[in-house]
């Protein structure tokens, strides 16, 4: 009954506040104290008892009372900090203030006129008169996050006379978890973990000003809340950053592994890890180096969180972070004999953003990841999520971030080399059964995305094929299954009606041919499966070489477009229904009613990558043609460079045609050549048809096809194993054109992906925070929320 009475009193105070049109005196402490003294004991009650409509009405009709409420709540938190927040009552007051501010702040941040309010001073600030309200609030939250016997365990002797003053406390002694820069692992307390989570939730709410800016303005807007939190003016910046990182990376949801233990005991650590991870990625998004605040002429301080992240350099720290991230990424994939017996966490989207930030800001970390097979512990969960999400339009963002990370990693030689490690099918995926390497897994998942994925994934095709091209010079032994899938992709992409339907579709053929050339030139010896498949499918290459370019032929091809998905599965023998891996389930579309945050357009691949030769300029390439190979090689390199420049110019010319709306992507079976005024012409086809890199493959077919046919006739062979054995021991030394230089398209930082990541990250945070629903029903402008 007592609890019901306090809720009733709290509700009465809210009604009293929202119904009064006259300003309530700020000195009437007995009235204001009702909001945080005894009142409610959890944040769900605050969200229920303070409806959003009443906050809006208060903002519009009694702005003075709303301003006073926020002033008094912040003032109360500051007073508690000054008293070192020692008593149970003060701690409860601080949490209630935090809950109320978490509820109210989004409705103030959604209104631009209120932004300046937070950067004005507290009326009763005394000697700290010049400190803006926002800074006072952040200082109070950070002080409370390292408050002994409230959010951390005291290391001093107990007793009020022995208690430390919060203002002079060295918070580096109270980092929450061992790991980077802190060896000790403090004792856990569920009460302290719950208090930290509530305070971090308020901190995340403070930083959310970005979501109330349209996407085109968010890039130029520099969030002053984040700027102050991560600046040297915040004395807790280092211990807070370390605490957030170590809390996330030391979390082990399975623990000692007792079956069903997560059903018996509440885990207070998971909500803390979740909000700590969200605060961490939000603060790392705000790179203030060498920029001027868009709102005024003042320069912003350096972001110390990014600074600290970029300066981590010890191998043991890298190992700790990488183990933590891979443990949590692989957690949902783990198989157990007892269904649902181990705890599964759903942090993978935020973890992938953190992993991206780590690789982006700390190149030593990325090289450490690629130094060993540990990178495969990141690759497999990414491929699992890509495969599992391909039919679900609410997870298009997850598909993008997975592909962007693989694009970043594929720019490094070591990634391609690591892919040759054999793959043991530990994770059931809805793909064809195969025996092979992680490279085969990569190819099979990419093939599945292209052929059976959601229509909105089409802008990612360039990225998927760029990744395959980047790793292709290092792939030693592709299996027959994945070789067949690659040829099926070429077959699908090279059909005339698909080539002629969009101005950029021929780029996909260029990528695949470049991939085949790399593998033939640099890994011919181990790739007999691919060579055999190319020989069997030689008609595809001959058709490409003789592609029609007359106006009537183009019109006939477009008229033959089928009212089906553009990448329909061919009827050839390798496309019959295959057995999927045991224990797998097909990718499912989104459940009706699923919330989905909109995303910006996928940046064009040319804006995301730059070409780099994998060969030093002064180093001669191995020649297979003998004689004057050096001169031939130089001529070939010049031709190739010119070809790349032409390709780049065409890429830039046609990139604008790529930004089609989601609706137009959905209706891809229409005659797309008629949309936007673009139509394939004979001149356009001729401009790129002659540049198709078919010379190497045609030479291979010219040499090997007669030999294979002769063996089949002489020995009466119908078994492909004999032919494969012949190809394994064959050689093309001296017969192929001079090897072309390996060109790697490395990811380069650009405004397009920065804006994309910002929108994606806040969309994930919005949808994941449903209990309580912090931003729900507020006027978010960075993205739109749709129901699938």
């Amino acid at each position: 009954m007592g609890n019901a009475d306090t809720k009733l009193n709290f509700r009465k105070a809210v009604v009293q506040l929202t119904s009064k049109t006259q300003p309530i005196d700020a000195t009437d402490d007995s009235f204001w104290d009702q909001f945080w003294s005894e009142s409610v004991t959890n944040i769900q009650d605050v969200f229920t008892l303070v409806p959003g409509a009443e906050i809006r009405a208060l903002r519009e009709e009694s702005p003075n009372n709303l301003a006073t409420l926020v002033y008094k709540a912040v003032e109360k938190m500051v007073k508690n900090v000054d008293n070192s927040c020692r008593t149970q009552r003060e701690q409860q007051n601080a949490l209630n203030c935090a809950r109320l501010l978490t509820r109210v702040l989004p409705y103030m941040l959604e209104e631009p006129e209120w932004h300046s309010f937070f950067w004005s001073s507290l009326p009763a600030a005394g000697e700290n008169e010049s400190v803006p309200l926002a800074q006072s609030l952040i200082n109070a939250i950070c002080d409370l996050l390292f408050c002994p016997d409230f959010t951390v365990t005291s290391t001093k002797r107990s007793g009020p006379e022995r208690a430390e003053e919060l203002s002079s406390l060295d918070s580096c002694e109270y980092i929450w978890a061992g790991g980077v820069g802190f060896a000790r692992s403090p004792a856990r307390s569920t009460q302290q973990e719950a208090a930290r989570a509530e305070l971090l939730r308020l901190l995340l709410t403070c930083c959310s000003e970005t979501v109330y800016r349209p996407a085109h303005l968010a890039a130029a807007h520099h969030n002053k809340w984040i700027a102050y939190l991560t600046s040297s003016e915040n004395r807790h910046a280092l211990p807070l950053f370390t605490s957030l990182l170590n809390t996330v990376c030391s979390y082990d949801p399975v623990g000692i592994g007792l079956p069903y233990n997560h059903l018996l005991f509440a885990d207070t650590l998971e909500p803390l890890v979740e909000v700590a991870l969200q605060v961490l990625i939000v603060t790392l998004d705000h790179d203030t180096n060498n920029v001027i605040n868009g709102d005024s002429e003042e320069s912003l301080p350096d972001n110390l969180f990014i600074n600290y992240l970029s300066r981590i350099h010890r191998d043991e720290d890298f190992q700790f972070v990488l183990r933590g991230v891979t443990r949590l990424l692989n957690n949902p994939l783990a198989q157990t004999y007892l269904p649902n017996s181990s705890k599964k966490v759903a942090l993978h989207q935020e973890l992938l953003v953190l992993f991206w930030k780590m690789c982006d800001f700390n190149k030593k970390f990325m090289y450490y990841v690629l130094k060993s097979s540990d990178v495969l512990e990141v690759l497999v969960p990414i491929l699992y999520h890509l495969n599992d999400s391909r039919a679900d339009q609410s997870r298009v963002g997850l598909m993008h971030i997975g592909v962007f990370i693989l694009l970043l990693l594929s720019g490094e030689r070591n990634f391609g080399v690591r892919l040759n490690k054999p793959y043991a099918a530990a994770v059931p995926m809805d793909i064809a059964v195969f025996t092979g390497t992680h490279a085969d897994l990569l190819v099979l998942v990419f093939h599945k995305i292209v052929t059976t994925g959601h229509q909105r994934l089409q802008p990612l095709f360039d990225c998927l094929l760029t990744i395959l091209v980047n790793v292709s010079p290092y792939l030693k032994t592709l299996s027959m299954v994945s070789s067949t899938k690659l040829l099926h992709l070429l077959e699908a992409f090279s059909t005339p009606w698909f080539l002629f339907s969009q101005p950029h579709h021929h780029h996909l053929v260029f990528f695949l041919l470049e991939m085949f050339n790399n593998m033939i030139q640099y890994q011919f010896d181990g790739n007999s499966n691919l060579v055999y498949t190319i020989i069997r499918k030689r008609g595809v290459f001959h058709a490409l070489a003789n592609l029609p370019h007359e106006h009537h032929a183009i019109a006939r091809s477009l008229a033959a477009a089928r009212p089906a998905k553009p990448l329909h599965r061919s009827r050839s023998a390798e496309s019959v229904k295959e057995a999927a891996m045991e224990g797998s389930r097909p990718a499912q579309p989104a459940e009706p009613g699923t919330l989905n945050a909109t995303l910006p357009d996928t940046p064009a691949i040319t804006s995301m990558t730059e070409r780099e030769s994998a060969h030093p300029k002064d180093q001669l390439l191995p020649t297979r043609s003998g004689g004057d190979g050096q001169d031939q090689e130089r001529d070939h390199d010049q031709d190739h460079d010119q070809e790349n420049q032409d390709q780049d110019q065409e890429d830039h010319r046609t990139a604008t045609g790529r930004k089609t709306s989601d609706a137009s992507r959905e209706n891809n079976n229409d005659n797309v050549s008629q949309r936007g005024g673009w139509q394939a012409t004979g001149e356009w086809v001729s401009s790129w048809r002659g540049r198709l890199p078919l010379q190497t493959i045609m030479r291979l077919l010219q040499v090997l096809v007669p030999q294979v046919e002769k063996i089949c006739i002489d020995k009466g062979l119908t078994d492909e194993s004999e032919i494969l054995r012949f190809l394994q021991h064959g050689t093309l030394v001296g017969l192929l054109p001079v090897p072309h230089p390996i060109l790697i398209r490395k990811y380069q930082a650009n405004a397009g992906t920065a804006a994309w990541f910002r929108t994606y990250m806040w969309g994930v945070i919005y949808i994941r925070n449903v209990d309580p629903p912090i931003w729900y029903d507020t006027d978010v402008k960075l993205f739109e929320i749709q129901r699938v």
Side-chain angles (χ1 to χ4, degrees):
M1 280 299 291
N3 190 29
D5 287 346
T6 55
K7 286 185 185 179
L8 188 61
N9 291 339
F10 181 79
R11 179 65 191 142
K12 280 180 182 173
V14 172
V15 170
Q16 206 176 344
L17 177 70
T18 52
S19 60
K20 287 199 176 183
T21 51
Q22 294 303 313
I24 301 171
D25 191 354
T27 58
D28 185 358
D29 288 340
S30 62
F31 173 76
W32 297 111
D33 283 350
Q34 296 176 92
F35 291 101
W36 38 79
S37 54
E38 53 194 6
S39 54
V40 289
T41 54
N42 62 62
I43 194 163
Q44 286 77 12
D45 285 347
V46 174
F47 272 68
T48 305
L49 297 170
V50 188
E54 291 185 19
I55 304 172
R56 277 213 178 91
L58 185 64
R59 185 188 71 196
E60 302 305 325
E61 294 161 23
S62 309
N64 285 340
N65 287 344
L66 179 60
T68 309
L69 177 69
V70 173
Y71 274 138
K72 296 297 285 185
V74 175
E75 185 183 58
K76 188 67 179 175
M77 290 180 81
V78 171
K79 280 181 180 171
N80 285 335
V81 168
D82 291 342
N83 294 336
S84 297
C85 208
R86 292 169 192 167
T87 67
Q88 184 82 34
R89 184 189 178 89
E90 284 176 332
Q91 292 171 6
Q92 190 61 51
N93 284 354
L95 287 178
N96 281 343
C97 289
R99 290 161 183 158
L100 190 65
L101 289 170
T102 303
R103 179 57 170 152
V104 168
L105 279 178
Y107 291 91
M108 301 172 77
L109 294 174
E110 75 174 357
E111 188 59 62
E113 293 171 8
W114 281 85
H115 289 185
S116 57
F117 162 77
F118 293 103
W119 298 95
S120 57
S121 302
L122 276 165
E127 70 265 13
N128 297 325
E129 213 168 355
S130 59
V131 179
L133 182 63
Q135 288 187 18
S136 297
L137 177 56
I138 288 175
N139 288 341
I141 296 170
C142 292
D143 281 336
L144 290 170
L145 283 169
F146 297 97
C147 177
D149 300 321
F150 177 32
T151 52
V152 293
T153 304
S154 177
T155 57
K156 306 297 179 191
R157 211 177 300 169
S158 59
E161 71 284 352
R162 301 275 182 187
E164 291 182 88
E165 292 293 327
L166 267 188
S167 55
S168 59
L169 172 140
D170 179 9
S171 47
C172 285
E173 293 180 19
Y174 290 102
I175 289 169
W176 304 340
V180 177
F182 191 71
R184 195 168 71 248
S185 290
R188 283 188 53 191
S189 159
T190 56
Q191 204 172 349
Q192 291 171 4
E193 286 165 357
R196 283 178 211 160
E198 298 229 38
L199 291 166
L200 284 178
R201 199 179 286 122
L202 173 56
L203 206 51
L204 185 64
T205 308
C206 292
C207 296
S208 66
E209 190 178 86
T210 306
V211 302
Y212 299 106
R213 299 271 176 156
H216 65 282
L217 297 177
H221 167 65
H222 299 295
N223 189 318
K224 289 164 83 172
W225 295 85
I226 299 176
Y228 180 76
L229 176 65
T230 59
S231 73
S232 54
E233 290 180 64
N234 176 12
R235 70 188 186 93
H236 300 292
L238 177 58
L240 180 58
F241 168 78
T242 311
S243 293
L244 295 172
L245 184 63
N246 290 356
T247 298
V248 171
C249 295
S250 63
Y251 178 48
D252 185 356
V254 177
I256 56 172
L258 290 174
Y260 302 107
N261 62 344
H262 62 290
L263 302 178
L264 303 175
F265 309 104
D267 182 5
T268 52
L269 194 49
E270 187 185 355
L272 173 62
V273 170
E274 190 174 308
V275 70
L277 180 52
Q278 290 171 358
V279 170
L280 188 57
I281 59 177
V282 161
T283 49
L284 292 174
D285 176 59
H286 193 68
D287 190 357
T288 55
N289 293 330
N290 307 316
V291 293
I292 302 297
N293 187 354
D295 299 333
S296 67
E297 289 304 306
E298 64 178 308
S299 60
L300 291 169
D302 282 354
N303 184 324
L304 291 183
F305 280 30
I306 292 176
N307 190 2
Y308 297 144
L309 185 70
S310 65
R311 281 166 44 195
I312 298 172
H313 63 279
R314 298 189 312 161
D315 276 6
E316 51 266 45
D317 290 340
F318 288 153
Q319 185 181 27
F320 167 75
V321 172
L322 182 61
R323 271 193 184 159
V325 170
T326 54
R327 182 194 307 119
L328 293 173
L329 276 179
N330 283 283
N331 165 266
L333 284 57
Q335 300 297 302
T336 51
Y337 291 109
L338 299 169
N340 304 318
S341 62
S342 66
K343 185 175 176 62
K344 299 278 195 281
V345 292
L347 302 166
H348 49 276
Q349 300 196 77
E350 296 98 320
L351 283 165
L352 291 175
V353 175
L354 176 63
F355 183 78
W356 173 270
K357 299 286 183 194
M358 288 284 299
C359 291
D360 196 22
F361 291 126
N362 193 326
K363 289 290 177 271
K364 286 181 181 173
F365 173 74
M366 185 167 78
Y367 298 140
Y368 175 84
V369 171
L370 292 165
K371 196 167 68 175
S372 71
S373 296
D374 287 346
V375 68
L376 302 177
E377 295 292 307
V378 178
L379 172 73
V380 171
I382 287 177
L383 291 179
Y384 171 83
H385 288 301
L386 289 181
N387 186 58
D388 192 51
S389 308
R390 68 182 189 273
D392 183 347
Q393 64 172 327
S394 72
R395 292 192 280 174
V396 167
L398 173 58
M399 299 288 296
H400 277 70
I401 186 173
V403 172
F404 289 161
I405 288 173
L406 296 182
L407 179 66
L408 177 70
L409 296 176
S410 73
E412 304 299 327
R413 175 184 178 275
N414 269 359
F415 181 66
V417 173
R418 299 289 161 229
L419 290 176
N420 291 306
K421 185 176 178 181
Y423 174 71
V427 181
M429 292 192 211
D430 176 32
I431 54 173
V433 176
F434 72 98
T435 303
T437 64
H438 285 76
D440 293 306
L441 179 67
L442 185 79
V443 169
L444 293 178
V445 170
F446 281 13
H447 175 269
K448 203 84 172 176
I449 294 168
V450 170
T451 55
T452 66
H454 195 273
Q455 292 269 312
R456 289 176 64 194
L457 300 179
Q458 285 202 21
L460 280 179
F461 288 0
D462 279 356
C463 282
L464 295 172
L465 296 190
T466 300
I467 294 162
L468 292 177
V469 172
N470 282 349
V471 301
S472 59
Y474 313 110
L475 305 185
K476 295 183 183 298
T477 51
L478 274 192
S479 70
M480 184 62 81
V481 178
S482 50
S483 301
T484 303
K485 298 301 184 192
L486 286 174
L487 264 296
H488 175 245
L489 284 184
L490 182 68
E491 199 177 359
F493 287 144
S494 61
T495 51
W497 70 263
F498 181 75
L499 276 175
F500 301 153
S501 63
Q502 284 276 12
H504 61 276
H505 279 172
H506 65 286
H507 296 159
L508 305 173
V509 174
F510 273 85
F511 283 134
L512 281 168
L513 291 176
E514 187 178 342
M515 180 186 184
F516 293 145
N517 288 341
N518 282 342
M519 295 182 70
I520 291 167
Q521 297 276 23
Y522 291 98
Q523 300 293 347
F524 178 83
D525 295 343
N527 277 304
S528 54
N529 288 326
L530 180 68
V531 173
Y532 174 67
T533 313
I534 287 173
I535 291 171
R536 284 185 57 218
K537 288 286 185 183
R538 56 191 178 274
V540 177
F541 300 98
H542 290 302
L544 265 176
N546 300 306
L547 194 70
H549 60 282
E550 300 83 9
H551 176 73
H552 296 303
I554 293 170
R556 271 199 310 275
S557 299
L558 288 170
R562 306 179 187 186
K565 282 194 69 175
L567 297 174
H568 62 283
R569 296 178 68 81
S570 67
R571 298 290 179 195
S572 52
E574 61 268 18
S575 290
V576 295
K577 181 133 180 85
E578 300 143 328
M581 293 169 68
E582 187 181 350
S584 66
R585 56 184 181 79
Q588 300 296 321
E591 291 283 332
T594 305
L595 290 180
N596 180 31
T598 56
L599 290 163
D601 284 330
T602 309
I605 191 70
T606 46
S607 69
M608 282 199 286
T609 57
E610 56 188 349
R611 294 158 185 266
E612 286 192 17
S613 175
H615 302 301
K617 288 183 181 173
D618 55 349
Q619 183 181 326
L620 292 180
L621 289 165
T623 176
R624 298 188 185 179
S625 52
D628 56 350
Q630 191 173 330
D631 295 333
Q632 291 178 19
E633 181 185 308
R634 196 180 303 112
D635 294 343
H636 185 276
D637 284 358
Q638 288 170 355
D639 292 345
H640 200 277
D641 288 344
Q642 182 59 48
E643 185 178 295
N644 287 330
Q645 288 169 14
D646 295 342
Q647 176 80 26
D648 277 342
Q649 288 168 2
E650 179 158 3
D651 282 347
H652 285 298
R653 278 198 303 273
T654 59
T656 52
R658 305 227 20 242
K659 293 187 177 178
T660 55
S661 67
D662 286 344
S664 65
R665 289 179 199 139
E666 299 289 356
N667 299 318
N668 206 58
N669 52 6
D670 296 341
N671 187 350
V672 281
S673 64
Q674 302 305 320
R675 287 205 306 273
W678 184 86
Q679 191 167 3
T681 64
E683 295 77 19
W684 172 77
V685 176
S686 300
S687 71
W688 54 262
R689 191 184 74 154
R691 291 191 289 110
L692 286 168
L694 288 164
Q695 301 88 338
T696 300
I697 293 171
M698 288 307 194
R699 182 69 182 140
L700 176 145
L701 293 173
Q702 186 185 354
V703 173
L704 291 181
V705 169
Q707 294 181 16
V708 169
E709 287 178 341
K710 185 173 188 301
I711 290 174
C712 291
I713 293 167
D714 290 353
K715 298 187 176 180
L717 289 181
T718 55
D719 183 13
E720 62 185 29
S721 59
E722 277 289 331
I723 302 166
L724 287 170
R725 202 169 297 120
F726 162 73
L727 292 173
Q728 278 167 3
H729 296 100
T731 178
L732 291 178
V733 171
L735 298 173
L736 292 180
V738 177
H740 54 279
I742 297 174
L743 280 176
I744 304 297
R745 292 163 180 81
K746 280 180 175 280
Y747 169 82
Q748 59 177 354
N750 62 91
T753 46
W756 188 93
F757 269 92
R758 184 177 302 110
T759 308
Y760 170 68
M761 174 185 71
W762 277 111
V764 169
I765 291 171
Y766 177 103
I767 288 168
R768 296 264 287 133
N769 282 275
V770 291
D771 185 25
I774 300 176
W775 298 278
Y776 184 73
D777 199 33
T778 62
D779 187 18
V780 171
K781 293 190 173 70
L782 185 64
F783 45 81
E784 290 177 25
I785 294 294
Q786 303 167 334
R787 285 195 183 277
V788 175

